[in-house]
Amino acid sequence: MSISKTYLPKETEEKWYSYWLKHDFFKSVPDEREPYTIVIPPPNVTGVLHMGHMLNNTIQDVLVRRARMKGKNACWVPGTDHASIATEAKVVAMLKERGISKKDLTRPEFLAYAWEWKDKYGGIILEQLKKLGASCDWDRTRFTMDEELSEAVIDTFIHLYKKGLIYRGIRMVNWDPQGKTAVSDEEVIRKEVNQKLYYIKYSVASDELPGSDETTGTTQHATGNYLTIATTRPETIMADAAICINPNDERYLHLHGKRVFIPLINREIPVILDGYVTMDFGTGCLKVTPAHDLNDYELGQKHNLPVIDILNDDGTLNEKAQILVGEDRFAARKKIAVLLEEAGALEKVEDYKSQIGFSERTDAVIEPKLSMQWFCKMEEMAKPALDYVLDGEVKLIPEKFVNTYRHWMENVKDWCISRQLWWGQQIPAWYLPNGKYVIAKNIEEALVEAQLIDAVLTIQDLTQEEDVVDTWFSSWLWPISVFDGFKDPDNADINYYYPTNDLVTAPEILFFWVARMIMAGHEFRGQAPFKNVYLTGIVRDKLGRKMSKQLGNSPDPIDLINQYGADGVRVGMLLCSPAGNDLMFDESYCKQGSGFANKIWNAFKLIKGWEVDENLKNPNAIAIEWFGSRFNQALGEIESDFEQYRLSEALMATYKLVWDDFCAWYLEMIKPVYLQPIDQATYIATVQFFENILKVLHPFMPFLTEELWHDELFGERTEKDCCIVAQLPNVGEINARLLSDVEIVKDVITSIRNTRKTKQIADKEPLELFVKTNTDINYQQYQAIISRLGNISQFSTAKDKVAGAINFLASTDEFYIPFNETVDPVAERARLEKEQEYLIGFLKSVNAKLTNERFMSNAKPEVIDIEQKKKADAEAKLTILEENLAALAG
RNA sequence: GGGAGUUUAGCUCAGCUGGUUCAGAGCAUCUGCCUUACAAGCAGAGGGUCACUGGUUCGAACCCAGUAACUCCCA
């Protein structure tokens, strides 16, 4: 049978994924084993896989697979989020294409279309995750609008309402005029935008009362004085309620107590004083527009100013504006500038950069707007949620996020939970004809409640609140609701799997998802929902730009998988992903990943090609013992990397173990000459090593390892004997002396190779080697290895220095390679003197320490020991160098 | 404007309690090899004022202060 020269991922990936599925390896049911649970951060149901998902899910899969191989009952719960705004927007767009307008549909009709859409496109992203190798328990797939999950949302709403944590009120919210809904602070993306700063003149009214203009002969409009304000939003002047100046601003002392006129509409407003105004911004005069700016709103509250809302829900001006009614806010801005100019009220226009909020979902410019919304009080819930993190019960990885988390939790604001949408859980509030409302699970229960208020009410008198709850109001329940922990709070699943172990997510949703899950966990289970939160970075391109559809700088993950194989892409992602730091993704990492897969494939090919001769003696005992030790050492390092969630380092340690130690050193030490058979002991040990390597590799590269696992090289396997469920080897004995000896042996080999290079001796030409030992290393033991890898024909011990030979040091042992050409004494002297000079300098610095009283009295004993050893080493080397120099002279 | 973070080789990052032989890795680069597992390879090499300026210390990439640049969060 011929084996392909390179690893071909396509052929194996689908085969093994369906094999794993068929044998239920991803499936988890509670048993006596220790559970290991991850709930997926549910991607948007209509979404497609992007690089952020790739990273996030690769990490989760690595963790889950590793836990499975450590004998835990691993359960990874997948699912999707209904993403109300995004999905509703997509459904509206789809309907528009079909010539249907949302406002012509009833709510049930619209929802029918939405479900149809969800059923058609909802599965895509989960199917894509399978391509990546995600070992989720697909039987547990949940959707945030599944019946049980929606019921949990309603029940928790009622629960929190009864606790007094949910209230209805008029608040300034972030209004998305395109989606026509309020959005949470977290869904507002601030971007720096080039704008214009308009300087507008407001004329100052005379001191006379409005209308009494006879005494001075001047009208209110003609005091001749005016003040100038600077604004980026001239279209909102009609909503102005006051002009505010800083009481300490001496430029405007004369305006205290005055009133001014809004240009164009000539409405009179007061000049108020407040330290809030920054004197050096703009002109120092601030127009106060309570209806259209959050800070102005607060200022208005403080000074009892009226709120004049001149905008419709879709961002057009309403009749309260008096002028430009019906115009969109941006069109109105342009037009009003012209009108102001014509009226002589526009002083100047400047370019100005400022931060503007955009809707994350629709990219429309957010409008601060006063509206009646539902809110959830946060302060009470935030406190315990903060404590979990501060006490370390929930660990944030990396830790630096604790500070950010604390800052947010200590300044938490109430959560606007209502959304003016249809796609989502409708708020369980029923309005009575008198405007009062009741909160109840369904209309029947609502009627009971309503009749307590007014006994004559019937079902027809009740109308349910139109709004749905914010999507996050369902996802914050996710770790509980996926195990049906609301309806059935004592069921076997929730008792077994909750709290989950690790949550892997992006830092951008630390607050609006992670923090709230901790709150919900505490509120409804009295326990945080997870123990560790691993925060991944944002995937950026080489230029540091966030990957996005708009920029078109994001590769299609499925294309990457097709090109480099799922294993290659997984390795590529992890190679460049330190926890919590953004990663500059570049395809070359995937190339490195697929190159690694190929390397493993070829090591396999080599071993597989060997013929065993049972009569041969084992010449490789040392090499085998060395690699066994090295493997255990690496295993320990990898284990500790995982404990600290240093995944890319765990991968790198694995990479080097396989590539350097196994392939470059071990296999080269033991591989028989071409077409020669191998002895049985070496063969068995090597196959065993390789199998263990496959296990260590499996979480990173599941497909390749499973493919190789089933090769006949490893003997017969039963149907269920798969790499995915193999148990990771335990860290075994480590022969430290052997490891350190072999490092010196490697030095010797490298020096031989180096000598060949500098003296231009072909690798093929065998050389003689002499060693004059000054240490207790038994080179006899390593003779075979050195001879093999250095191509040494004769390796012997010398009592004295070998004249006329090239020499080098390994540790403090002296090595000589006789060389038929004479060694250039001048160059050799220069080389030795350079080394001597360095050692003298080094020795000087060591001696400086050792003779420094304060060092000797302050430094730890082990540090002093090290320094003394350095000194001894350096002295020994110097002695040898001096002898060699003397020999050269003689 | 307020807060947090980052700055180490061309790139991406390690460097843990301040102390292993003048700071490490992977990739990239350069040189030499088509050596029967792998040229997607092998062997070797070069590459650093640890952002800058001070301070603490016997000793600083690491601790402290200040400066600069960048990133994120909040207003």
Side-chain angles (χ1 to χ4, degrees), chain A residues 488-527:
Chain A
D488 190 2
D490 199 28
N491 77 70
D493 274 2
I494 189 100
N495 286 337
Y496 183 71
Y497 294 114
Y498 190 95
T500 68
N501 295 71
D502 296 334
L503 179 82
V504 181
T505 193
E508 26 184 16
I509 55 175
L510 181 59
F511 307 124
F512 58 127
W513 191 45
V514 179
R516 288 177 186 155
M517 279 192 287
I518 299 174
M519 294 180 195
H522 178 75
E523 180 68 24
F524 300 107
R525 300 286 311 173
Q527 236 178 340

mmCIF file of all heavy atoms in Angstrom, chain A residues 488-527:
data_model
loop_
_atom_site.group_PDB
_atom_site.id
_atom_site.type_symbol
_atom_site.label_atom_id
_atom_site.label_comp_id
_atom_site.label_asym_id
_atom_site.label_seq_id
_atom_site.Cartn_x
_atom_site.Cartn_y
_atom_site.Cartn_z
ATOM 1 N N ASP A 488 -37.250 23.158 36.075
ATOM 2 C CA ASP A 488 -37.006 21.958 36.877
ATOM 3 C C ASP A 488 -35.678 22.147 37.615
ATOM 4 O O ASP A 488 -34.667 21.564 37.256
ATOM 5 C CB ASP A 488 -36.942 20.766 35.902
ATOM 6 C CG ASP A 488 -36.938 19.447 36.642
ATOM 7 O OD1 ASP A 488 -37.014 19.466 37.892
ATOM 8 O OD2 ASP A 488 -36.833 18.422 35.965
ATOM 9 N N PRO A 489 -35.696 22.971 38.647
ATOM 10 C CA PRO A 489 -34.438 23.430 39.252
ATOM 11 C C PRO A 489 -33.637 22.347 39.971
ATOM 12 O O PRO A 489 -32.509 22.600 40.381
ATOM 13 C CB PRO A 489 -34.873 24.520 40.240
ATOM 14 C CG PRO A 489 -36.341 24.420 40.363
ATOM 15 C CD PRO A 489 -36.880 23.566 39.262
ATOM 16 N N ASP A 490 -34.203 21.166 40.100
ATOM 17 C CA ASP A 490 -33.464 20.135 40.813
ATOM 18 C C ASP A 490 -33.247 18.918 39.924
ATOM 19 O O ASP A 490 -33.122 17.797 40.411
ATOM 20 C CB ASP A 490 -34.264 19.747 42.077
ATOM 21 C CG ASP A 490 -33.385 19.039 43.095
ATOM 22 O OD1 ASP A 490 -32.161 19.298 43.102
ATOM 23 O OD2 ASP A 490 -33.913 18.211 43.847
ATOM 24 N N ASN A 491 -33.191 19.147 38.609
ATOM 25 C CA ASN A 491 -33.053 17.979 37.727
ATOM 26 C C ASN A 491 -31.618 17.470 37.705
ATOM 27 O O ASN A 491 -30.673 18.156 38.103
ATOM 28 C CB ASN A 491 -33.586 18.312 36.322
ATOM 29 C CG ASN A 491 -32.631 19.157 35.516
ATOM 30 O OD1 ASN A 491 -31.572 18.703 35.090
ATOM 31 N ND2 ASN A 491 -32.998 20.422 35.321
ATOM 32 N N ALA A 492 -31.474 16.256 37.218
ATOM 33 C CA ALA A 492 -30.171 15.591 37.287
ATOM 34 C C ALA A 492 -29.108 16.346 36.499
ATOM 35 O O ALA A 492 -27.964 16.463 36.946
ATOM 36 C CB ALA A 492 -30.308 14.165 36.756
ATOM 37 N N ASP A 493 -29.473 16.867 35.344
ATOM 38 C CA ASP A 493 -28.491 17.566 34.517
ATOM 39 C C ASP A 493 -27.927 18.801 35.208
ATOM 40 O O ASP A 493 -26.720 18.993 35.295
ATOM 41 C CB ASP A 493 -29.138 18.004 33.191
ATOM 42 C CG ASP A 493 -29.073 16.898 32.149
ATOM 43 O OD1 ASP A 493 -28.562 15.816 32.485
ATOM 44 O OD2 ASP A 493 -29.531 17.134 31.015
ATOM 45 N N ILE A 494 -28.844 19.646 35.672
ATOM 46 C CA ILE A 494 -28.363 20.898 36.260
ATOM 47 C C ILE A 494 -27.556 20.618 37.519
ATOM 48 O O ILE A 494 -26.535 21.258 37.766
ATOM 49 C CB ILE A 494 -29.517 21.900 36.534
ATOM 50 C CG1 ILE A 494 -28.960 23.266 36.939
ATOM 51 C CG2 ILE A 494 -30.472 21.423 37.615
ATOM 52 C CD1 ILE A 494 -28.933 24.276 35.861
ATOM 53 N N ASN A 495 -27.973 19.631 38.285
ATOM 54 C CA ASN A 495 -27.222 19.306 39.493
ATOM 55 C C ASN A 495 -25.827 18.786 39.174
ATOM 56 O O ASN A 495 -24.887 19.000 39.923
ATOM 57 C CB ASN A 495 -27.983 18.273 40.325
ATOM 58 C CG ASN A 495 -29.183 18.901 41.015
ATOM 59 O OD1 ASN A 495 -29.217 20.124 41.223
ATOM 60 N ND2 ASN A 495 -30.178 18.096 41.332
ATOM 61 N N TYR A 496 -25.732 18.113 38.043
ATOM 62 C CA TYR A 496 -24.449 17.509 37.672
ATOM 63 C C TYR A 496 -23.538 18.507 36.958
ATOM 64 O O TYR A 496 -22.361 18.645 37.285
ATOM 65 C CB TYR A 496 -24.716 16.306 36.773
ATOM 66 C CG TYR A 496 -23.483 15.530 36.367
ATOM 67 C CD1 TYR A 496 -22.785 14.747 37.287
ATOM 68 C CD2 TYR A 496 -23.014 15.572 35.050
ATOM 69 C CE1 TYR A 496 -21.672 14.024 36.909
ATOM 70 C CE2 TYR A 496 -21.892 14.855 34.664
ATOM 71 C CZ TYR A 496 -21.221 14.082 35.599
ATOM 72 O OH TYR A 496 -20.104 13.374 35.216
ATOM 73 N N TYR A 497 -24.089 19.225 35.984
ATOM 74 C CA TYR A 497 -23.240 20.058 35.123
ATOM 75 C C TYR A 497 -23.029 21.484 35.640
ATOM 76 O O TYR A 497 -22.117 22.171 35.210
ATOM 77 C CB TYR A 497 -23.830 20.133 33.707
ATOM 78 C CG TYR A 497 -23.822 18.820 32.977
ATOM 79 C CD1 TYR A 497 -25.007 18.174 32.635
ATOM 80 C CD2 TYR A 497 -22.621 18.205 32.624
ATOM 81 C CE1 TYR A 497 -25.005 16.958 31.957
ATOM 82 C CE2 TYR A 497 -22.609 16.995 31.952
ATOM 83 C CZ TYR A 497 -23.800 16.376 31.613
ATOM 84 O OH TYR A 497 -23.785 15.196 30.944
ATOM 85 N N TYR A 498 -23.893 21.935 36.498
ATOM 86 C CA TYR A 498 -23.813 23.320 36.968
ATOM 87 C C TYR A 498 -23.144 23.367 38.334
ATOM 88 O O TYR A 498 -23.499 22.545 39.200
ATOM 89 C CB TYR A 498 -25.218 23.924 37.049
ATOM 90 C CG TYR A 498 -25.225 25.421 37.283
ATOM 91 C CD1 TYR A 498 -25.326 26.305 36.226
ATOM 92 C CD2 TYR A 498 -25.116 25.933 38.578
ATOM 93 C CE1 TYR A 498 -25.326 27.672 36.438
ATOM 94 C CE2 TYR A 498 -25.107 27.293 38.798
ATOM 95 C CZ TYR A 498 -25.220 28.155 37.723
ATOM 96 O OH TYR A 498 -25.211 29.513 37.935
ATOM 97 N N PRO A 499 -22.255 24.293 38.623
ATOM 98 C CA PRO A 499 -21.739 25.318 37.709
ATOM 99 C C PRO A 499 -20.795 24.722 36.674
ATOM 100 O O PRO A 499 -20.111 23.743 36.956
ATOM 101 C CB PRO A 499 -20.979 26.261 38.642
ATOM 102 C CG PRO A 499 -20.685 25.482 39.864
ATOM 103 C CD PRO A 499 -21.698 24.414 39.980
ATOM 104 N N THR A 500 -20.754 25.356 35.531
ATOM 105 C CA THR A 500 -19.890 24.854 34.472
ATOM 106 C C THR A 500 -18.446 25.215 34.798
ATOM 107 O O THR A 500 -18.186 25.944 35.755
ATOM 108 C CB THR A 500 -20.293 25.465 33.108
ATOM 109 O OG1 THR A 500 -19.994 26.866 33.127
ATOM 110 C CG2 THR A 500 -21.780 25.269 32.846
ATOM 111 N N ASN A 501 -17.523 24.697 34.021
ATOM 112 C CA ASN A 501 -16.115 24.913 34.339
ATOM 113 C C ASN A 501 -15.554 26.170 33.687
ATOM 114 O O ASN A 501 -15.164 27.099 34.375
ATOM 115 C CB ASN A 501 -15.288 23.697 33.915
ATOM 116 C CG ASN A 501 -15.675 22.481 34.717
ATOM 117 O OD1 ASN A 501 -16.757 21.928 34.535
ATOM 118 N ND2 ASN A 501 -14.823 22.095 35.635
ATOM 119 N N ASP A 502 -15.484 26.147 32.384
ATOM 120 C CA ASP A 502 -14.828 27.247 31.687
ATOM 121 C C ASP A 502 -15.809 27.928 30.738
ATOM 122 O O ASP A 502 -16.620 27.266 30.103
ATOM 123 C CB ASP A 502 -13.645 26.717 30.869
ATOM 124 C CG ASP A 502 -12.564 26.116 31.765
ATOM 125 O OD1 ASP A 502 -12.476 26.524 32.933
ATOM 126 O OD2 ASP A 502 -11.832 25.237 31.299
ATOM 127 N N LEU A 503 -15.671 29.227 30.669
ATOM 128 C CA LEU A 503 -16.410 29.983 29.664
ATOM 129 C C LEU A 503 -15.361 30.652 28.795
ATOM 130 O O LEU A 503 -14.429 31.254 29.313
ATOM 131 C CB LEU A 503 -17.302 31.040 30.323
ATOM 132 C CG LEU A 503 -18.083 31.893 29.323
ATOM 133 C CD1 LEU A 503 -19.328 31.154 28.863
ATOM 134 C CD2 LEU A 503 -18.462 33.229 29.900
ATOM 135 N N VAL A 504 -15.502 30.511 27.501
ATOM 136 C CA VAL A 504 -14.534 31.111 26.583
ATOM 137 C C VAL A 504 -15.253 32.158 25.760
ATOM 138 O O VAL A 504 -16.167 31.845 25.005
ATOM 139 C CB VAL A 504 -13.928 30.048 25.646
ATOM 140 C CG1 VAL A 504 -12.900 30.681 24.726
ATOM 141 C CG2 VAL A 504 -13.301 28.924 26.455
ATOM 142 N N THR A 505 -14.864 33.407 25.935
ATOM 143 C CA THR A 505 -15.588 34.449 25.218
ATOM 144 C C THR A 505 -14.706 35.666 24.988
ATOM 145 O O THR A 505 -13.562 35.718 25.425
ATOM 146 C CB THR A 505 -16.893 34.803 25.957
ATOM 147 O OG1 THR A 505 -17.712 35.592 25.106
ATOM 148 C CG2 THR A 505 -16.604 35.564 27.233
ATOM 149 N N ALA A 506 -15.268 36.652 24.303
ATOM 150 C CA ALA A 506 -14.508 37.848 23.963
ATOM 151 C C ALA A 506 -14.659 38.900 25.057
ATOM 152 O O ALA A 506 -15.726 39.029 25.646
ATOM 153 C CB ALA A 506 -14.997 38.412 22.629
ATOM 154 N N PRO A 507 -13.608 39.652 25.343
ATOM 155 C CA PRO A 507 -13.687 40.651 26.413
ATOM 156 C C PRO A 507 -14.733 41.729 26.136
ATOM 157 O O PRO A 507 -15.228 42.351 27.066
ATOM 158 C CB PRO A 507 -12.288 41.263 26.462
ATOM 159 C CG PRO A 507 -11.513 40.679 25.364
ATOM 160 C CD PRO A 507 -12.281 39.592 24.724
ATOM 161 N N GLU A 508 -15.082 41.917 24.875
ATOM 162 C CA GLU A 508 -16.049 42.980 24.573
ATOM 163 C C GLU A 508 -17.422 42.694 25.181
ATOM 164 O O GLU A 508 -18.204 43.605 25.388
ATOM 165 C CB GLU A 508 -16.148 43.245 23.064
ATOM 166 C CG GLU A 508 -15.765 42.047 22.226
ATOM 167 C CD GLU A 508 -15.758 42.306 20.729
ATOM 168 O OE1 GLU A 508 -15.759 43.463 20.307
ATOM 169 O OE2 GLU A 508 -15.744 41.308 19.986
ATOM 170 N N ILE A 509 -17.696 41.423 25.471
ATOM 171 C CA ILE A 509 -18.997 41.153 26.080
ATOM 172 C C ILE A 509 -18.864 40.740 27.543
ATOM 173 O O ILE A 509 -19.757 40.125 28.112
ATOM 174 C CB ILE A 509 -19.820 40.114 25.286
ATOM 175 C CG1 ILE A 509 -19.043 38.824 25.089
ATOM 176 C CG2 ILE A 509 -20.253 40.683 23.946
ATOM 177 C CD1 ILE A 509 -19.877 37.740 24.416
ATOM 178 N N LEU A 510 -17.746 41.143 28.133
ATOM 179 C CA LEU A 510 -17.528 40.840 29.544
ATOM 180 C C LEU A 510 -18.678 41.364 30.408
ATOM 181 O O LEU A 510 -19.125 40.703 31.328
ATOM 182 C CB LEU A 510 -16.206 41.463 29.989
ATOM 183 C CG LEU A 510 -15.760 41.262 31.424
ATOM 184 C CD1 LEU A 510 -15.622 39.788 31.758
ATOM 185 C CD2 LEU A 510 -14.428 41.962 31.676
ATOM 186 N N PHE A 511 -19.163 42.546 30.105
ATOM 187 C CA PHE A 511 -20.179 43.153 30.959
ATOM 188 C C PHE A 511 -21.578 42.739 30.585
ATOM 189 O O PHE A 511 -22.340 42.289 31.413
ATOM 190 C CB PHE A 511 -20.056 44.668 30.932
ATOM 191 C CG PHE A 511 -18.667 45.087 31.249
ATOM 192 C CD1 PHE A 511 -17.941 45.877 30.394
ATOM 193 C CD2 PHE A 511 -18.060 44.621 32.404
ATOM 194 C CE1 PHE A 511 -16.641 46.221 30.690
ATOM 195 C CE2 PHE A 511 -16.763 44.959 32.703
ATOM 196 C CZ PHE A 511 -16.048 45.765 31.839
ATOM 197 N N PHE A 512 -21.889 42.910 29.287
ATOM 198 C CA PHE A 512 -23.289 42.690 29.036
ATOM 199 C C PHE A 512 -23.648 41.228 28.912
ATOM 200 O O PHE A 512 -24.804 40.882 28.893
ATOM 201 C CB PHE A 512 -23.857 43.565 27.923
ATOM 202 C CG PHE A 512 -23.274 43.503 26.573
ATOM 203 C CD1 PHE A 512 -24.088 43.267 25.495
ATOM 204 C CD2 PHE A 512 -21.942 43.764 26.368
ATOM 205 C CE1 PHE A 512 -23.565 43.277 24.224
ATOM 206 C CE2 PHE A 512 -21.419 43.777 25.101
ATOM 207 C CZ PHE A 512 -22.228 43.525 24.016
ATOM 208 N N TRP A 513 -22.663 40.364 28.880
ATOM 209 C CA TRP A 513 -23.038 38.959 28.963
ATOM 210 C C TRP A 513 -22.460 38.280 30.207
ATOM 211 O O TRP A 513 -23.195 37.770 31.037
ATOM 212 C CB TRP A 513 -22.629 38.207 27.686
ATOM 213 C CG TRP A 513 -23.226 36.852 27.612
ATOM 214 C CD1 TRP A 513 -24.525 36.510 27.885
ATOM 215 C CD2 TRP A 513 -22.563 35.635 27.272
ATOM 216 N NE1 TRP A 513 -24.706 35.161 27.715
ATOM 217 C CE2 TRP A 513 -23.513 34.601 27.345
ATOM 218 C CE3 TRP A 513 -21.245 35.310 26.911
ATOM 219 C CZ2 TRP A 513 -23.204 33.266 27.057
ATOM 220 C CZ3 TRP A 513 -20.939 33.992 26.620
ATOM 221 C CH2 TRP A 513 -21.911 32.977 26.694
ATOM 222 N N VAL A 514 -21.127 38.283 30.340
ATOM 223 C CA VAL A 514 -20.489 37.535 31.421
ATOM 224 C C VAL A 514 -20.960 38.024 32.784
ATOM 225 O O VAL A 514 -21.397 37.238 33.637
ATOM 226 C CB VAL A 514 -18.949 37.636 31.304
ATOM 227 C CG1 VAL A 514 -18.281 36.878 32.434
ATOM 228 C CG2 VAL A 514 -18.484 37.109 29.962
ATOM 229 N N ALA A 515 -20.891 39.335 33.001
ATOM 230 C CA ALA A 515 -21.274 39.883 34.301
ATOM 231 C C ALA A 515 -22.729 39.540 34.615
ATOM 232 O O ALA A 515 -23.067 39.159 35.738
ATOM 233 C CB ALA A 515 -21.073 41.394 34.295
ATOM 234 N N ARG A 516 -23.570 39.654 33.612
ATOM 235 C CA ARG A 516 -24.987 39.392 33.860
ATOM 236 C C ARG A 516 -25.258 37.916 34.101
ATOM 237 O O ARG A 516 -26.156 37.565 34.868
ATOM 238 C CB ARG A 516 -25.819 39.924 32.698
ATOM 239 C CG ARG A 516 -25.872 41.448 32.714
ATOM 240 C CD ARG A 516 -26.622 41.964 31.531
ATOM 241 N NE ARG A 516 -26.545 43.427 31.468
ATOM 242 C CZ ARG A 516 -26.682 44.100 30.341
ATOM 243 N NH1 ARG A 516 -26.899 43.457 29.206
ATOM 244 N NH2 ARG A 516 -26.625 45.411 30.351
ATOM 245 N N MET A 517 -24.478 37.054 33.462
ATOM 246 C CA MET A 517 -24.636 35.625 33.758
ATOM 247 C C MET A 517 -24.266 35.336 35.206
ATOM 248 O O MET A 517 -24.888 34.501 35.854
ATOM 249 C CB MET A 517 -23.758 34.777 32.833
ATOM 250 C CG MET A 517 -24.363 34.542 31.478
ATOM 251 S SD MET A 517 -23.473 33.266 30.568
ATOM 252 C CE MET A 517 -22.001 34.119 30.130
ATOM 253 N N ILE A 518 -23.243 36.032 35.683
ATOM 254 C CA ILE A 518 -22.854 35.823 37.076
ATOM 255 C C ILE A 518 -23.980 36.310 37.997
ATOM 256 O O ILE A 518 -24.326 35.648 38.979
ATOM 257 C CB ILE A 518 -21.516 36.532 37.383
ATOM 258 C CG1 ILE A 518 -20.397 35.962 36.502
ATOM 259 C CG2 ILE A 518 -21.154 36.390 38.858
ATOM 260 C CD1 ILE A 518 -19.058 36.669 36.616
ATOM 261 N N MET A 519 -24.575 37.446 37.638
ATOM 262 C CA MET A 519 -25.708 37.952 38.425
ATOM 263 C C MET A 519 -26.850 36.938 38.428
ATOM 264 O O MET A 519 -27.412 36.615 39.483
ATOM 265 C CB MET A 519 -26.236 39.257 37.835
ATOM 266 C CG MET A 519 -25.262 40.410 37.911
ATOM 267 S SD MET A 519 -26.045 41.879 37.168
ATOM 268 C CE MET A 519 -24.615 42.908 36.946
ATOM 269 N N ALA A 520 -27.185 36.450 37.248
ATOM 270 C CA ALA A 520 -28.299 35.508 37.150
ATOM 271 C C ALA A 520 -27.967 34.223 37.888
ATOM 272 O O ALA A 520 -28.821 33.642 38.578
ATOM 273 C CB ALA A 520 -28.619 35.213 35.685
ATOM 274 N N GLY A 521 -26.722 33.785 37.765
ATOM 275 C CA GLY A 521 -26.302 32.569 38.458
ATOM 276 C C GLY A 521 -26.511 32.713 39.950
ATOM 277 O O GLY A 521 -27.036 31.817 40.623
ATOM 278 N N HIS A 522 -26.118 33.871 40.460
ATOM 279 C CA HIS A 522 -26.272 34.101 41.895
ATOM 280 C C HIS A 522 -27.747 34.215 42.283
ATOM 281 O O HIS A 522 -28.190 33.635 43.264
ATOM 282 C CB HIS A 522 -25.535 35.373 42.299
ATOM 283 C CG HIS A 522 -25.683 35.687 43.757
ATOM 284 N ND1 HIS A 522 -25.011 34.987 44.729
ATOM 285 C CD2 HIS A 522 -26.467 36.591 44.402
ATOM 286 C CE1 HIS A 522 -25.352 35.468 45.912
ATOM 287 N NE2 HIS A 522 -26.241 36.430 45.751
ATOM 288 N N GLU A 523 -28.473 34.957 41.476
ATOM 289 C CA GLU A 523 -29.874 35.221 41.794
ATOM 290 C C GLU A 523 -30.717 33.939 41.761
ATOM 291 O O GLU A 523 -31.569 33.739 42.614
ATOM 292 C CB GLU A 523 -30.435 36.242 40.789
ATOM 293 C CG GLU A 523 -31.896 36.615 40.985
ATOM 294 C CD GLU A 523 -32.159 37.408 42.258
ATOM 295 O OE1 GLU A 523 -31.207 38.062 42.749
ATOM 296 O OE2 GLU A 523 -33.301 37.351 42.769
ATOM 297 N N PHE A 524 -30.457 33.092 40.776
ATOM 298 C CA PHE A 524 -31.370 31.966 40.567
ATOM 299 C C PHE A 524 -30.824 30.616 41.029
ATOM 300 O O PHE A 524 -31.593 29.675 41.186
ATOM 301 C CB PHE A 524 -31.777 31.891 39.094
ATOM 302 C CG PHE A 524 -32.473 33.142 38.623
ATOM 303 C CD1 PHE A 524 -31.840 34.040 37.784
ATOM 304 C CD2 PHE A 524 -33.760 33.448 39.072
ATOM 305 C CE1 PHE A 524 -32.475 35.209 37.378
ATOM 306 C CE2 PHE A 524 -34.395 34.616 38.678
ATOM 307 C CZ PHE A 524 -33.756 35.499 37.827
ATOM 308 N N ARG A 525 -29.478 30.532 41.211
ATOM 309 C CA ARG A 525 -28.932 29.263 41.690
ATOM 310 C C ARG A 525 -28.087 29.463 42.951
ATOM 311 O O ARG A 525 -27.613 28.475 43.514
ATOM 312 C CB ARG A 525 -28.020 28.604 40.637
ATOM 313 C CG ARG A 525 -28.635 28.265 39.322
ATOM 314 C CD ARG A 525 -29.560 27.090 39.288
ATOM 315 N NE ARG A 525 -29.048 25.878 39.906
ATOM 316 C CZ ARG A 525 -29.809 24.784 40.081
ATOM 317 N NH1 ARG A 525 -31.071 24.770 39.672
ATOM 318 N NH2 ARG A 525 -29.306 23.718 40.652
ATOM 319 N N GLY A 526 -27.856 30.695 43.317
ATOM 320 C CA GLY A 526 -27.011 30.960 44.479
ATOM 321 C C GLY A 526 -25.562 30.569 44.245
ATOM 322 O O GLY A 526 -24.795 30.369 45.179
ATOM 323 N N GLN A 527 -25.176 30.469 42.977
ATOM 324 C CA GLN A 527 -23.850 29.977 42.617
ATOM 325 C C GLN A 527 -23.441 30.605 41.298
ATOM 326 O O GLN A 527 -24.279 30.718 40.391
ATOM 327 C CB GLN A 527 -23.951 28.462 42.399
ATOM 328 C CG GLN A 527 -23.013 27.649 43.238
ATOM 329 C CD GLN A 527 -23.225 26.163 42.968
ATOM 330 O OE1 GLN A 527 -24.269 25.740 42.461
ATOM 331 N NE2 GLN A 527 -22.240 25.386 43.301
#
